[in-house]
Amino acid sequence: MSAKQAGEFIRALAAANPAPETELEYSSPYTLLVAVALSAQATDVSVNKATRTLFPIASTPEAMVALGVEGVAEHIRRIGLWQSKAKNVVALSQMLIEKFGGEVPADRAALESLPGVGRKTANVVLNVAFGEEAMAVDTHIFRLGNRTGLAPGDTPRAVEDQLMKRVPPDLLRDAHHWLILHGRYVCKARAPECWRCVARAFCNYGQKVNAPPAR
Ligand code: SF4
């Protein structure tokens, strides 16, 4: 796909949803960081269910440390990998207090030094909380980038690098949201719903799916 075509692809998504937002519920950079850390291999819906009881009790690093691993675990047991996530959330909160004055750092290396925080989580926090042009490549964006020809790559990092080069600069800030939402609701894993895709004219996927026959 040419850079021009890639730009048109993203512009089509942008026109259909001018003000995209993350579906995770949060009220501060800290609660966003915790929500994103909990969201690995879990749906945003399941994370929101958990944080609706967790955050009223613990919305700061100090309160999370006071709650402790067992206390956090009580709220997140329905999320995948909950045991390691409970440990990580308390450990990262402790590190925020000890090294960063209790604040979430707006710096990639500092974010990635926190327990359980990898490049994808750091990218979401940098983008959503601090307004940086960062591209968090999750399973949806990885699939979409390869399927459509928008950003082919063997690894999430390769797809991320392609997208950072190909997405028009004025759309970089929000492109991560458009692509995740498109992958989650239209260009789905099992069968893309090409018949209602606003970017269809710019997509290189060779097996586009038409609407199922009306009953
Ligand atoms: S046309 Fe189909 S494969 Fe291409 S982006 Fe749209 S939903 Fe995905």
Side-chain angles (χ1 to χ4, degrees):
M1 185 183 292
S2 67
K4 182 169 180 288
Q5 189 179 340
E8 287 169 329
F9 187 110
I10 303 283
R11 283 197 195 286
L13 300 184
N17 182 10
E21 289 183 1
T22 177
E23 294 185 325
L24 287 172
E25 295 171 2
Y26 68 99
S27 58
S28 64
Y30 174 70
T31 50
L32 174 68
L33 172 64
V34 172
V36 179
L38 293 177
S39 73
Q41 296 182 43
T43 64
D44 287 0
V45 171
S46 69
V47 172
N48 289 340
K49 270 190 193 159
T51 58
R52 279 176 203 158
T53 63
L54 175 63
F55 288 160
I57 298 167
S59 62
T60 64
E62 292 79 4
M64 201 68 79
V65 170
L67 187 59
V69 174
E70 284 301 313
V72 173
E74 288 298 314
H75 296 272
I76 68 168
R77 272 184 212 280
R78 291 176 189 274
I79 299 176
L81 309 176
W82 61 272
Q83 286 152 308
S84 58
K85 286 176 181 174
K87 282 185 198 152
N88 281 336
V89 164
V90 172
L92 75 82
S93 301
Q94 185 74 47
M95 191 182 281
L96 287 176
I97 295 167
E98 290 171 2
K99 287 197 166 179
F100 301 104
E103 300 290 331
V104 176
D107 173 82
R108 175 184 302 286
L111 283 167
E112 289 186 16
S113 73
L114 297 168
V117 176
R119 186 173 181 90
K120 189 186 81 175
T121 298
N123 276 336
V124 176
V125 172
L126 290 170
N127 179 273
V128 175
F130 300 116
E132 284 196 23
E133 293 171 348
M135 186 70 63
V137 175
D138 72 344
T139 179
H140 297 297
I141 295 187
F142 184 74
R143 177 183 70 253
L144 201 152
N146 279 291
R147 178 189 275 165
T148 65
L150 181 66
D154 291 337
T155 62
R157 182 61 194 270
V159 170
E160 177 186 331
D161 290 345
Q162 282 271 10
L163 287 171
M164 292 302 289
K165 277 189 236 157
R166 286 184 150 186
V167 175
D170 61 310
L171 300 180
L172 259 179
R173 169 80 169 77
D174 287 329
H176 147 82
H177 294 304
W178 286 313
L179 293 170
I180 283 184
L181 294 172
H182 191 58
R184 190 176 284 167
Y185 296 115
V186 181
C187 196
K188 297 176 182 175
R190 288 179 65 187
E193 298 182 1
C194 307
W195 68 90
R196 61 186 194 89
C197 173
V198 296
R200 180 176 178 136
F202 312 110
C203 169
N204 285 354
Y205 185 50
Q207 300 160 53
K208 292 200 178 66
V209 178
N210 292 319
R215 292 189 185 174

